[in-house]
Amino acid sequence: TATGLGLYQARVEKQTSFIIETLGVTAQAFDIFVTGPGNVVPPNEAIPVRCYQQKDKNLLAEFKPLSAGPHKIEVLHNREQVSGSPYVCQVYDPTKVLILGAEDRTATVGEPVQFRLDRRNAGY
């Protein structure tokens, strides 16, 4: 099986990781594929993955997503999907969040302010 936050959530341009529990099986028996979202150019781009054998024989898999949106993570053991695979990692880009409706307003301390957040291009 595989565990870790990197299977489900990551930030654009930041390294993320997850652990593959090998149960003592050799690392060569595993394949990991990470594919970027289909709505960007190039669509469904293959993302490089680095794997490191840990002292406990488990594998640490690392990758750095380059665009916001859902990334598919496939973990295979002897060419078969492990339990839970494929995973969908939601990759976000906080620099793409826009604040709307507050541009022309002045704010007073203690007074409410209204604005909207547009996060469509941020991966949400």
Side-chain angles (χ1 to χ4, degrees):
T1 61
T3 60
L5 186 61
L7 290 170
Y8 306 104
Q9 178 181 322
R11 183 175 172 172
V12 168
E13 295 287 342
K14 298 287 182 183
Q15 196 85 4
T16 191
S17 64
F18 57 92
I19 298 289
I20 299 167
E21 298 171 4
T22 64
L23 303 175
V25 176
T26 65
Q28 290 78 12
F30 291 90
D31 292 302
I32 299 132
F33 302 99
V34 178
T35 309
N39 62 344
V40 297
V41 177
N44 303 310
E45 180 179 21
I47 308 299
V49 180
R50 289 187 178 194
C51 289
Y52 304 95
Q53 186 99 45
Q54 305 294 286
K55 288 182 181 179
D56 61 5
K57 303 290 187 205
N58 289 331
L59 294 174
L60 173 68
E62 294 182 334
F63 68 98
K64 181 164 64 168
L66 304 176
S67 58
H71 284 57
K72 182 167 79 170
I73 300 173
E74 297 178 90
V75 180
L76 289 82
H77 172 253
N78 290 330
R79 298 189 178 130
E80 297 288 328
Q81 301 272 0
V82 300
S83 178
S85 179
Y87 301 89
V88 177
C89 179
Q90 188 60 44
V91 177
Y92 64 94
D93 185 348
T95 67
K96 303 282 177 145
V97 176
L98 301 175
I99 299 172
L100 305 172
E103 302 88 358
D104 300 328
R105 300 182 185 190
T106 58
T108 305
V109 175
E111 295 293 318
V113 175
Q114 290 187 352
F115 58 88
R116 291 187 342 261
L117 295 178
D118 180 353
R119 54 189 188 159
R120 287 176 292 181
N121 296 321
Y124 297 99

